[in-house]
Amino acid sequence: MSFFTKVKRQLIGQSLPTSAQVSERVTNAAGLAILSSDALSSVVYATEETLRVLMLAGTSVLELSIPIAIAITSLLAIVTLSYRQTIRAYPSGGRAYIVAHENLGLYPGLIAALMIDYVFTVTVSVAAGIAALTSAIPFG
């Protein structure tokens, strides 16, 4: 077994047998809708905002953009592994409410559902969309 295969199995787990793969597949559109909204809303504005803050601080601190990019990439890797664990534990679907309610109780589940799934995701997505539109349409 190659080193890459060992690392892949350690991070991702065993491959499904061919007979089980048919019932575990989702289309690209369904997978995107199920898995990507939280991660996309979290990183959609990160690069631009990070560079904006660093530029305001001065060009001498722009060298921090690489370590910050590495930290963001590491955070995305952690989120990806966390999603994989959630998918494994809740194969029929595990949004924030279900996971938090079963593991932490009623009130953390409600807070997770209301604050994270609805408020934060929508707020960040709308803000990023408005920022993209206003940067594409010059004023004056």
Side-chain angles (χ1 to χ4, degrees):
M1 187 180 312
S2 72
F3 175 74
F4 176 73
T5 305
K6 289 179 184 177
V7 170
K8 179 181 152 194
R9 282 203 178 149
Q10 189 68 21
L11 291 175
I12 298 174
Q14 293 283 5
S15 298
L16 289 173
T18 306
S19 60
Q21 288 181 359
V22 175
S23 64
E24 295 294 324
R25 290 188 181 187
V26 295
T27 64
N28 288 341
L32 188 64
I34 294 167
L35 301 173
S36 69
S37 66
D38 291 337
L40 285 177
S41 68
S42 300
V43 300
V44 72
Y45 65 95
T47 305
E48 180 183 357
E49 293 302 318
T50 301
L51 291 176
R52 184 176 293 161
V53 169
L54 289 175
M55 287 192 309
L56 287 175
T59 56
S60 63
V61 296
L62 281 177
E63 64 194 24
L64 295 175
S65 60
I66 298 297
I68 291 172
I70 292 170
I72 290 171
T73 304
S74 301
L75 182 61
L76 278 175
I78 291 168
V79 168
T80 301
L81 292 174
S82 174
Y83 275 151
R84 293 201 55 84
Q85 288 178 338
T86 302
I87 291 168
R88 192 172 295 136
Y90 300 92
S92 61
R95 296 297 298 169
Y97 173 78
I98 296 170
V99 175
H101 182 266
E102 285 188 13
N103 293 297
L104 301 173
L106 175 64
Y107 291 115
L110 291 172
I111 291 170
L114 294 173
M115 294 299 291
I116 296 169
D117 275 354
Y118 300 120
V119 177
F120 289 159
T121 301
V122 172
T123 303
V124 168
S125 299
V126 169
I130 290 172
L133 287 175
T134 56
S135 68
I137 303 169
F139 290 101

